[in-house]
């Protein structure tokens, strides 16, 4: 394995504020700090994501050895959402040659088997670090053992892996998905109370994320914890929208055919909410603060602010995707022989239509 030392200048450029800062209802300081390191290039990232180029292909044929650069293989989930696009861009703009890295990027198109193939390819190429945003939580032991055998440190980012031996990875950095779900439930209770509907029977449906993904498991669990506190809340049905707008729309269409009394739709990411809103409107119903159906979602991407400003979406619960600099900080510490915190949660906020959304959107990095 190659081990290289970066100049102090590069380290300073890459190091970001310590993970974790105040939650609540305003953008976090962490998000702002990361914003400064991110060039907004959503369109470019979206275009790149599905089309591997010579330096992004993880086909095992390219030689990853590249002078004094630290080689990082990133096994990305896919390009299913605006959040994912921002996450990809965060890695691509952080792990540049200018910053002392060679990035080998692989888009798994939401398939675990593709991610396992990519990790094996990274091992073959003798990369210095493997970073994985796992599609689902289970089924990783064998390939992680292979990486350990090869002496390649693995860092997890965004979603978690459920492994019995936690020495199989160095560290994980991401959002607290259970807390996001609970924050959503608490927000809903307060909102309904303010509407004078605190005691009313409330019918809900959930458009879940990819089943088995940490973001789905945690958000569903967090919301279930809050459902248990409100005997007047009824979950009519939950179905996966696979974190995509198209599937979110499809699932909402089927919910609307089955139930004519939906009060709340919980979408486990913003893109599913955009699809759900289209389905609600197509069915001749209204949504948002002035509408028939309350719509809430997770991520807090720019388009979610536009949707709230348009009066369609009620609230969005933040999941910060800017993990590139955070993973770079972990790598720099490992390079320096320092210990790193095994589990690193990023503090996250929430946003609703009672806030000055135009001003927040103007400062938003993703
Ligand atoms: O794991 C994070 C989730 O994955 C985001 O909520 C979603 O948009 C993405 O697809």
């Amino acid at each position: 394995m190659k081990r290289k030392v970066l100049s102090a200048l590069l380290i300073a450029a890459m190091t970001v504020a310590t993970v974790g800062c105040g939650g609540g209802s305003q953008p976090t300081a962490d998000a702002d700090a990361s914003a400064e390191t991110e060039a907004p290039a959503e369109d470019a990232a979206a275009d790149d994501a599905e089309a591997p180029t010579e330096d992004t292909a993880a086909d095992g044929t390219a030689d990853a050895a590249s002078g004094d650069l630290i080689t990082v293989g990133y096994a990305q989930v896919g390009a299913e959402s605006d959040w994912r696009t921002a996450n990809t861009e965060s890695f691509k703009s952080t792990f540049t040659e200018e910053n002392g890295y060679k990035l080998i990027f692989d888009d798994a198109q939401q398939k675990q088997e593709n991610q396992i193939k990519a990790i094996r390819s990274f091992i073959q190429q003798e990369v210095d670090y493997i970073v994985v945003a796992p599609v689902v939580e289970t089924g990783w032991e064998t390939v992680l053992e292979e990486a350990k055998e090869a002496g390649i440190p693995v860092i997890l980012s965004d979603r978690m892996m459920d492994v019995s031996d936690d020495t199989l990875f160095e560290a994980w950095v991401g959002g607290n998905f259970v807390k996001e779900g609970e924050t959503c439930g608490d927000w809903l209770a307060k909102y309904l109370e303010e509407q004078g509907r605190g005691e009313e029977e409330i019918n809900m449906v959930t458009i879940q994320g990819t089943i088995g993904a940490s973001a789905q498991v945690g958000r569903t669990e967090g919301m279930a914890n809050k459902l248990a506190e409100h005997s007047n809340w009824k979950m009519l049905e939950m179905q996966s929208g696979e974190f995509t707008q198209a599937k979110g729309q499809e699932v909402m269409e089927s919910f609307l055919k089955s139930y004519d009394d939906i009060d709340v739709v919980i979408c486990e990411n913003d893109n599913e909410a955009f699809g759900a809103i289209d389905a609600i409107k197509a069915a001749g119903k209204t949504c948002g603060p002035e509408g028939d159906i309350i719509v809430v979602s997770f991520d807090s991407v720019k388009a979610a602010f536009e949707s709230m400003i348009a009066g369609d979406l009620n609230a969005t619960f933040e999941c910060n995707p800017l993990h590139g600099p955070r993973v770079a900080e972990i790598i720099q510490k490992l390079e320096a022989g320092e210990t790193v915190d095994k589990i690193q949660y990023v503090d996250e906020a929430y946003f609703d239509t009672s806030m000055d959304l135009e001003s927040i959107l103007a400062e938003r990095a993703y």
Side-chain angles (χ1 to χ4, degrees):
M1 273 214 305
K2 301 163 289 298
R3 286 286 177 274
K4 303 97 184 176
V5 182
L6 288 181
S7 71
L9 191 62
L10 287 174
I11 294 169
M14 293 310 308
T15 303
V16 293
T18 307
V19 170
C21 49
S25 59
Q26 295 300 319
T28 63
D30 196 22
D32 289 346
S34 299
E36 283 161 25
T37 69
E38 297 294 327
E42 284 169 36
D43 294 347
D47 290 340
D48 285 346
E50 300 286 5
T53 57
E54 202 182 315
D55 72 328
T56 63
D59 60 5
T61 56
D63 180 11
S66 46
D68 288 322
L69 303 175
I70 295 177
T71 306
V72 176
Y74 183 31
Q76 173 63 294
V77 169
E80 71 282 4
S81 62
D82 289 18
W83 188 101
R84 192 62 57 194
T85 301
N87 179 260
T88 290
E89 174 54 23
S90 177
F91 276 82
K92 287 187 173 177
S93 61
T94 299
F95 291 96
T96 61
E97 296 205 359
E98 199 186 16
N99 288 334
Y101 296 99
K102 164 88 176 169
L103 178 68
I104 308 176
F105 179 87
D106 187 81
D107 174 341
Q109 298 179 17
Q110 297 229 69
K111 292 195 175 76
Q112 183 179 32
E113 63 264 33
N114 289 347
Q115 283 197 309
I116 290 173
K117 266 189 225 153
I119 295 168
R120 292 204 165 115
S121 166
F122 297 154
I123 295 170
Q124 251 187 350
Q125 294 179 76
E126 299 184 330
V127 300
D128 295 315
Y129 293 90
I130 293 172
V131 183
V132 191
V135 176
V136 289
E137 292 188 337
T138 56
W140 299 101
E141 258 93 356
T142 306
V143 74
L144 289 199
E145 292 283 1
E146 292 167 24
K148 191 176 180 181
E149 186 82 1
I152 303 174
V154 174
I155 298 164
L156 307 183
S157 170
D158 168 26
R159 302 176 187 174
M160 189 34 123
M161 286 183 187
D162 182 6
V163 285
S164 49
D165 174 5
D166 77 355
T167 67
L168 290 173
F169 65 93
E170 299 295 319
W172 167 88
V173 61
N176 186 333
F177 301 117
V178 176
K179 193 171 161 204
E180 290 171 12
E182 289 176 341
T183 304
C184 174
D186 286 338
W187 177 90
L188 187 60
K190 187 164 174 279
Y191 183 78
L192 290 167
E193 195 68 50
E194 285 166 1
Q195 306 286 307
R197 301 175 69 188
E199 304 303 317
E200 204 178 286
E201 176 137 322
I202 301 294
N203 290 325
M204 303 182 190
V205 289
T206 299
I207 304 177
Q208 294 174 291
T210 304
I211 300 300
S214 301
Q216 175 275 310
V217 174
R219 289 167 187 165
T220 300
E221 182 187 326
M223 195 57 209
N225 294 343
K226 294 298 156 184
L227 263 163
E229 293 175 8
H230 299 274
S231 55
N232 57 322
W233 291 7
K234 189 171 170 202
M235 185 61 70
L236 298 171
E237 196 174 335
M238 298 198 279
Q239 259 189 55
S240 175
E242 289 162 19
F243 287 129
T244 70
Q245 181 160 342
K247 189 79 180 156
Q249 179 167 350
E250 199 183 304
V251 171
M252 191 65 208
E253 280 164 4
S254 93
F255 284 158
L256 288 165
K257 280 183 193 138
S258 305
Y259 312 100
D260 59 8
D261 52 356
I262 298 170
D263 298 301
V264 180
V265 53
I266 295 152
C267 306
E268 288 187 351
N269 81 348
D270 289 335
N271 287 81
E272 289 177 341
F274 307 147
I277 289 164
D278 287 345
I280 291 167
K281 289 182 177 175
K285 297 198 177 231
T286 57
C287 53
E290 306 296 328
D292 309 320
I293 301 177
I294 297 168
V295 184
V296 294
S297 61
F298 297 86
D299 284 356
S300 310
V301 297
K302 282 182 179 175
F305 285 81
E306 284 154 12
S307 183
M308 287 189 289
I309 291 166
D312 294 331
L313 182 67
N314 290 73
T316 176
F317 300 86
E318 190 180 38
C319 181
N320 189 305
L322 307 179
H323 296 320
R326 298 179 183 120
V327 171
E329 186 178 4
I330 291 170
I331 289 175
Q332 289 307 317
K333 284 188 173 163
L334 293 173
E335 288 287 301
E338 293 173 28
T339 52
V340 293
D341 290 337
K342 194 91 185 178
I343 302 296
Q344 303 185 22
Y345 287 114
V346 180
D347 277 357
E348 292 160 333
Y350 73 85
F351 307 92
D352 67 21
T353 53
S354 71
M355 299 172 186
D356 179 3
L357 297 172
E358 300 272 7
S359 304
I360 301 170
L361 178 57
E363 300 291 313
R364 200 85 186 135
Y366 58 92

